């Protein structure tokens, strides 16, 4: 039996436009369609962001928005024996980002980036991934709860010409997830070349809410990356190799330089993804307006959080809803860190939203979004500590043949993570969505109150998280935890853990053909 992929649910019923006026934060965001904006906070004094943009393309702060924003297509699928099947092909190609130039790139089903996969909670899915590159790759389903053998980490390489067909059941709340390579020692190069895409999970609870959800109209993926271009159009090193990795001097949004998006509704939902390999973003709107933060990595927050900025480290996501007035033009910007602490850093523009002369009405946001359980740590089965220093975790570098620890299925653990460097790291855990318990002993800010799989780690600060291993025991195939600054990951700032049944003996197996000599640590 064959059927087309289900379209995202239609927009909620229209309501009459409301009179616009500036009001208090919560009233503006919830009681009426917000006049809000997107900003990202510089997560602390330690964020290292080389934000200056060269003369070609336009310099930071004076970006000319001349290209319509490319919205990734929805990936087609069909149903076989009750399983929704997607097809992805990793391929080499060339992409024109700048006038009269072409850049050698990698992409899924196209020249750069990949289509957006959409599936519903409870669906059985399979993704047939064909590797048409001349080197091995993997595809990791970042933020997805699934068996370790389907996770797409470095233990699941896809040889050139081969096809990998992971299959699993979607079993987590609605969320904005993404997919990208995770080949040990080569992740940064393959992601920077263009291999990435979004994976949206839907569920009945989220669908029932009056939220913008017409994909590409009022529900828009915003994949933000930094790149640099040589005179011949090819990607190059940009700001060079910093402690964080390579920092580009040109911003791409969904692969578009200098993008604008034509807004046709009063409210717009932006699904922000920091798809860069090293750069930390502090998103904000140029006029400082408020917006509603409605979701983080693993799904909706308990209620909309009135915000003027939201910081994202590589791999993190945030869902925001912003109000746009008829004929209005507003600019999403990345705010710079304190220039006194980060010489040469500057703000730069990301995306322009252009309100149509007449906008379709949008219903007010719900006052509650999701029922988030309390983050209870009393019954934790174990306490673990992770110290990030240099390019190592707990003074260890990655060894594909070593399990750094073994967890028991159907238990929770409290992890304490400390960044001993003065400069930032990030921390990503595969398979599980965790809850943030505290930051330096204090209650986390509202933006960190929901489900997370990646968190920015400011220098010399301590973070406590509650991690649960819900199911999927496997004594042979591990999950990863690592810094999501991809150069750090490639350099070995990564560990791995097994999840087993109570009393089950672990038996870690190295990927076939892999040796430590294959990787430059």
């Amino acid at each position: 039996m064959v059927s087309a992929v289900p379209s995202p649910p239609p927009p909620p019923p229209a309501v009459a436009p409301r009179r616009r006026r500036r009001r208090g934060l919560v009233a503006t965001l919830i009681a009426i369609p917000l006049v809000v904006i997107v900003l990202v906070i510089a997560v602390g004094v330690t964020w290292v962001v080389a934000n200056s943009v060269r003369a070609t393309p336009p310099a930071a702060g004076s970006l000319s928005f001349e290209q319509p924003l490319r919205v990734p297509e929805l990936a087609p699928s069909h149903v076989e024996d009750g399983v929704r099947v997607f097809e992805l092909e990793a391929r080499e190609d060339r992409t024109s980002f700048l006038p009269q130039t072409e850049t050698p790139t990698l992409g899924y089903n196209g020249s750069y980036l990949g289509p957006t996969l959409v599936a519903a909670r409870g669906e059985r899915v399979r993704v047939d991934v064909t590797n048409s590159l001349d080197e091995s790759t993997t595809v990791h389903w970042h933020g997805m709860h699934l068996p370790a053998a389907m996770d797409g980490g470095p233990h699941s390489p896809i040889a050139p010409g081969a096809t990998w067909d992971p299959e699993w059941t979607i079993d987590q709340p609605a969320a904005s997830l993404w997919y990208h390579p995770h080949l040990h020692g080569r992740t940064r190069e393959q992601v920077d070349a263009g291999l990435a895409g979004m994976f949206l999970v839907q569920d009945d609870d989220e669908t029932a809410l009056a939220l913008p959800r017409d994909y590409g109209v009022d529900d828009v993926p915003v994949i933000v990356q930094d790149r640099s271009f040589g005179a011949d159009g090819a990607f190059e090193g940009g700001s060079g190799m910093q402690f964080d990795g390579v920092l580009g001097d040109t911003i791409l949004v969904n692969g578009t330089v200098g993008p604008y998006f034509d807004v046709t509704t009063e409210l717009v939902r932006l699904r922000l993804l920091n798809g860069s390999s090293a750069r930390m973003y502090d998103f904000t709107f140029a006029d400082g307006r408020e917006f509603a933060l409605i979701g983080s990595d693993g799904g909706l927050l308990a209620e909309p959080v009135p915000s003027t900025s939201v910081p994202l480290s590589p791999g993190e996501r945030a869902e925001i809803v912003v109000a746009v007035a008829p004929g209005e033009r507003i600019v999403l910007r990345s705010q710079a860190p304190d220039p006194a602490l980060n010489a040469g850093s500057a703000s730069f523009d990301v995306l322009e939203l252009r309100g149509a002369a007449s906008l379709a009405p949008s219903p007010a946001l719900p006052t509650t979004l999701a029922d988030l359980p309390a983050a209870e740590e009393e019954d934790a089965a174990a306490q673990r500590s992770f110290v990030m220093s240099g390019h190592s975790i707990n003074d260890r570098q990655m060894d594909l043949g070593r399990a750094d620890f073994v967890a028991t299925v159907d238990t929770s653990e409290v992890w304490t993570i400390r960044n001993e460097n003065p400069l930032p790291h990030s921390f990503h855990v595969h398979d599980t969505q965790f809850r943030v318990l505290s930051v330096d002993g204090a209650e986390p800010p509202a933006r960190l109150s929901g489900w997370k799989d990646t968190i920015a780690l400011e220098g010399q600060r301590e973070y406590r998280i509650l991690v649960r291993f819900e199911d999927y025991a496997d004594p042979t195939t591990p999950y990863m935890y690592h810094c999501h600054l991809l150069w750090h990951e490639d350099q070995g700032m990564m560990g791995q853990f097994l999840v087993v049944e109570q009393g089950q003996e672990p038996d870690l197996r190295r990927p076939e053909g892999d040796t430590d000599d294959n990787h430059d640590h």
Side-chain angles (χ1 to χ4, degrees):
M1 174 180 177
V2 177
S3 68
V5 65
S7 299
V15 298
R18 303 171 186 240
R19 184 166 56 94
R20 297 181 177 274
R21 58 190 178 96
R22 299 279 181 181
R23 301 183 61 188
L25 183 60
V26 174
T28 302
L29 291 172
I30 298 175
I32 65 173
L34 356 160
V35 184
V36 189
I37 311 171
V38 175
L39 273 136
V40 174
I41 254 174
V43 164
V45 297
T46 62
W47 297 78
V48 175
V49 184
N51 289 322
S52 58
V53 179
R54 300 182 305 175
T56 307
S62 62
L63 187 60
S64 177
F65 297 103
E66 298 179 347
Q67 302 296 324
L69 177 69
R70 172 184 174 265
V71 176
E73 67 175 4
L74 290 173
S77 69
H78 61 278
V79 175
E80 296 179 1
D81 299 325
V83 178
R84 182 163 301 282
V85 180
F86 300 92
E87 295 181 357
L88 292 178
E89 180 191 9
R91 63 176 72 158
E92 298 179 9
D93 212 320
R94 302 180 70 86
T95 304
S96 179
F97 298 104
L98 305 174
Q100 300 178 334
T101 64
E102 284 193 335
T103 304
T105 53
L106 304 180
Y108 296 108
N109 299 1
S111 70
Y112 190 78
L113 297 180
T116 298
L117 280 63
V118 180
R121 187 171 194 172
E123 274 197 297
R124 188 76 178 171
V125 301
R126 189 179 84 227
V127 187
D128 295 338
V129 184
T130 299
N131 180 12
S132 295
L133 309 177
D134 60 4
E135 64 174 340
S136 293
T137 189
T138 78
V139 179
H140 167 52
W141 316 106
H142 185 125
M144 191 73 74
H145 175 53
L146 75 178
M150 310 300 167
D151 181 59
H155 286 262
S156 301
I158 312 169
T163 297
W164 181 54
D165 53 357
E167 182 178 318
W168 71 97
T169 299
I170 304 291
D171 186 18
Q172 62 193 99
S176 299
L177 312 181
W178 68 303
Y179 59 94
H180 61 80
H182 207 302
L183 187 69
H184 190 34
R186 293 279 291 162
T187 297
R188 182 193 66 81
E189 292 183 36
Q190 292 191 353
V191 173
D192 278 359
L195 290 179
M198 296 198 77
F199 197 136
L200 307 185
V201 173
Q202 300 174 336
D203 68 18
D204 292 341
D205 292 338
E206 189 271 345
T207 299
L209 295 172
L211 293 174
R213 66 179 72 262
D214 190 355
Y215 183 84
V217 178
D218 62 359
D219 184 356
V220 185
V222 179
I223 304 172
V224 183
Q225 302 169 298
D226 60 329
R227 298 288 184 270
S228 295
F229 296 89
D232 60 354
F235 289 141
E236 61 174 23
S239 304
M241 186 62 72
Q242 313 292 322
F243 171 79
D244 288 348
V246 173
L247 299 175
D249 56 20
T250 301
I251 298 300
L252 303 180
V253 183
N254 299 348
T256 312
V257 176
Y260 66 85
F261 180 75
D262 288 322
V263 176
T264 58
T265 57
E266 292 178 328
L267 299 184
V268 180
R269 178 184 191 173
L270 302 179
R271 299 178 186 255
L272 300 172
L273 160 63
N274 181 349
S276 292
S277 61
R279 186 180 294 279
M280 309 284 187
Y281 292 102
D282 177 16
F283 294 109
T284 183
F285 283 101
D287 62 0
R289 73 177 60 194
E290 293 176 342
F291 56 86
L293 175 65
I294 65 169
S296 55
D297 299 338
L300 296 176
L301 301 179
E303 60 187 21
V305 176
S307 307
T308 55
S309 67
V310 55
L312 296 180
S313 64
E316 284 188 288
R317 288 89 64 209
E319 295 185 30
I320 68 168
V321 175
V322 58
V324 180
E328 185 177 34
R329 293 191 178 190
I330 59 176
V331 175
L332 178 65
R333 171 174 292 171
S334 178
Q335 186 70 20
D338 185 346
L341 298 173
N342 297 278
S345 64
S347 299
F348 53 89
D349 295 339
V350 175
L351 168 68
E352 183 179 67
L353 301 180
R354 297 180 177 181
S358 176
L359 299 174
S362 301
L365 289 182
T367 56
T368 59
L369 298 172
D371 182 14
L372 294 180
E376 303 287 351
E377 59 178 296
E378 290 77 10
D379 297 328
Q383 305 266 344
R384 303 188 193 275
S385 296
F386 302 86
V387 177
M388 317 284 280
S389 60
H391 291 154
S392 66
I393 303 176
N394 292 345
D395 293 324
R396 281 179 155 185
Q397 291 201 318
M398 177 66 174
D399 180 349
L400 285 171
R402 179 190 71 224
D404 293 276
F405 66 89
V406 179
T408 303
V409 72
D410 197 26
T411 66
S412 299
E413 298 184 355
V414 174
W415 293 7
T416 300
I417 309 120
R418 181 170 181 82
N419 178 8
E420 291 290 357
N421 292 317
L423 300 176
H425 287 295
S426 66
F427 193 76
H428 172 49
V429 186
H430 288 210
D431 175 57
T432 182
Q433 291 288 339
F434 56 76
R435 301 291 295 279
V436 181
L437 297 172
S438 64
V439 180
D440 280 345
E443 184 176 345
R447 62 181 175 80
L448 297 181
S449 63
W451 297 110
K452 295 284 293 173
D453 55 60
T454 308
I455 187 171
L457 304 177
E458 296 179 67
Q460 306 299 328
R461 303 194 74 179
E462 184 174 276
Y463 300 75
R464 295 176 69 249
I465 64 175
L466 182 67
V467 183
R468 181 160 183 79
F469 309 103
E470 192 67 35
D471 37 35
Y472 301 135
D474 185 337
T476 66
T477 308
Y479 296 107
M480 308 293 121
Y481 60 90
H482 57 88
C483 180
H484 213 280
L485 277 64
L486 298 185
W487 187 59
H488 291 189
E489 175 186 327
D490 285 343
Q491 291 297 301
M493 199 170 196
M494 179 163 57
Q496 52 188 12
F497 62 94
L498 290 167
V499 178
V500 301
E501 300 284 357
Q502 182 71 41
Q504 190 176 30
E505 290 296 323
D507 182 20
L508 179 62
R509 298 171 187 172
R510 183 185 294 273
E512 185 175 350
D514 186 272
T515 69
D516 287 334
D517 295 337
N518 292 340
H519 313 295
D520 178 11
H521 290 179

